[in-house]
Amino acid sequence: MNILFVCTGNTCRSPMAEALFKSAAAEKNLDVSVKSAGLFAPENGKASLYAVEALFEKNIALNHTSSQLSEEKVEWADLVLTMTEQHKQLAAHEFSESRDKIYTLKEYVKGESGDIIDP
């Protein structure tokens, strides 16, 4: 399964979700591929220092450069998980042929609405 996490700039929330999920998947020996992207991400931007430090506290390294959400990434993904309802709406509008696989993270995991706020 291919999972894509999406936020605004791909420097904090989605790279953290990607790193946390990769770590958990490795511990459970799950056969998944995970990436992240941003709706308005600069290409090759650095991860937020706060994201790097927060993951370091959990013994998870974050060596990440940002990338823009693209049709290629959405097509690659079996599941697209956004950090906010607005991200979901923008991605579903931009990639309408893939709207059936785009969810907010809270919607997919907990079955409820709500956003992952930008720390």
Side-chain angles (χ1 to χ4, degrees):
M1 176 175 236
N2 297 331
I3 301 172
L4 179 65
F5 291 99
V6 176
C7 70
T8 305
N10 193 223
T11 60
C12 192
R13 291 173 286 182
S14 59
M16 288 182 73
E18 175 187 4
L20 287 165
F21 193 87
K22 281 180 178 177
S23 177
E27 286 179 16
K28 296 178 188 283
N29 202 27
L30 299 177
D31 184 22
V32 295
S33 294
V34 184
K35 294 181 182 179
S36 64
L39 289 160
F40 304 103
E43 287 297 322
N44 300 314
K46 295 196 179 284
S48 159
L49 181 58
Y50 298 116
V52 173
E53 289 175 352
L55 289 170
F56 181 77
E57 290 175 9
K58 295 188 172 294
N59 296 317
I60 299 172
L62 180 59
N63 183 13
H64 173 79
T65 56
S66 63
S67 67
Q68 182 80 30
L69 184 62
S70 66
E71 185 173 345
E72 179 183 344
K73 289 181 180 95
V74 173
E75 287 178 1
W76 167 86
D78 297 308
L79 176 63
V80 178
L81 298 173
T82 68
M83 298 298 117
T84 70
E85 184 65 34
Q86 184 178 24
H87 295 143
K88 176 186 173 183
Q89 296 306 320
L90 288 168
H93 177 74
E94 182 76 19
F95 307 101
S96 58
E97 67 285 348
S98 298
R99 79 174 46 245
D100 62 332
K101 63 180 175 181
I102 302 173
Y103 301 87
T104 68
L105 182 58
K106 283 190 176 181
E107 173 186 23
Y108 191 79
V109 173
K110 293 187 170 190
E112 60 189 47
S113 63
D115 294 343
I116 307 295
I117 60 169
D118 195 353

